[in-house]
Amino acid sequence: MEEELSQKFPSLRSFKGYNKNNPKEVIRLDTGPYGFHGLIGTEKGMVQIDPVNRSNTMFYVSYFTEDYISDTYKDTPLCGLDDREEASKQKHFGMQRFNHEPMELRQYRLALACTPSWAASRGTVENCLADMNTMVNRANLI
C-alpha cells in the first residue's frame, strides 16, 4: 500500500514471511476492521485463516483452500465459460512455482478501483480498502 494511504488508514496492515528452515513455506497476513486474515503456502497446499464472520473477529477458522466449497457461482457460467471440469484438474494451481529454480524478482505497481455499489456494500472506505488489501495480499502469494 502506498505510504500516504497507509498513514491515512493505519489499521490496515499486511505482512509477508517465510519459514527460514524451508523457504518453500510462505505466508501472507493482513489485519483490518474485519480482523486477521492469513494465507499459508505449504508443499501440501494453501491454508487460509479467516474470521468465522465479519461481525465477530474473536473466533477464526483455518482450512486448506482446496477443501473450501463455495456455491456462490454454482452452475453459473462466467463469461459464457463452463470450466468446472478444467477447475478440478487445477487443484494445486499456484503450487508449481515452489518446485522451480529461483525466479527473477519483478516489482509491479497496482491501481485498484471498484464500482460504487461494491464500495457501498462495505459501508465505509476503510472496510472497502480492507477487503482490497486482503484480496491483493492473497493474490501476491499465488
Side-chain angles (χ1 to χ4, degrees):
M1 188 181 311
E2 290 292 324
E3 186 61 33
E4 185 178 320
L5 193 58
S6 184
Q7 287 177 1
K8 190 171 181 179
F9 297 97
S11 71
L12 304 179
R13 306 285 313 265
S14 59
F15 307 91
K16 64 180 177 179
Y18 67 95
N19 178 348
K20 66 180 182 177
N21 296 321
N22 183 357
K24 294 179 180 180
E25 294 179 345
V26 293
I27 188 168
R28 288 284 186 161
L29 312 168
D30 65 82
T31 61
Y34 296 134
F36 169 86
H37 296 88
L39 182 62
I40 306 166
T42 72
E43 293 182 39
K44 294 180 181 179
M46 297 282 195
V47 177
Q48 293 193 41
I49 305 168
D50 291 310
V52 171
N53 63 51
R54 289 182 176 208
S55 60
N56 183 350
T57 58
M58 188 172 175
F59 300 102
Y60 289 79
V61 61
S62 66
Y63 52 93
F64 279 99
T65 302
E66 69 185 44
D67 294 335
Y68 179 74
I69 299 171
S70 171
D71 61 359
T72 304
Y73 299 107
K74 185 178 182 181
D75 300 324
T76 305
L78 302 176
C79 301
L81 175 66
D82 183 359
D83 65 346
R84 286 175 286 189
E85 183 179 326
E86 190 63 30
S88 67
K89 293 178 186 175
Q90 297 178 7
K91 201 171 191 179
H92 296 285
F93 173 75
M95 297 307 294
Q96 67 269 20
R97 79 178 191 144
F98 293 127
N99 298 321
H100 286 289
E101 296 296 318
M103 292 186 270
E104 175 186 347
L105 175 64
R106 296 180 183 171
Q107 293 184 347
Y108 298 92
R109 291 179 58 131
L110 172 69
L112 193 58
C114 68
T115 63
S117 61
W118 189 86
S121 71
R122 270 99 184 129
T124 68
V125 171
E126 183 179 37
N127 291 347
C128 182
L129 290 172
D131 279 348
M132 290 178 168
N133 189 37
T134 298
M135 288 184 280
V136 170
N137 203 28
R138 288 185 171 176
N140 280 330
L141 182 60
I142 297 170

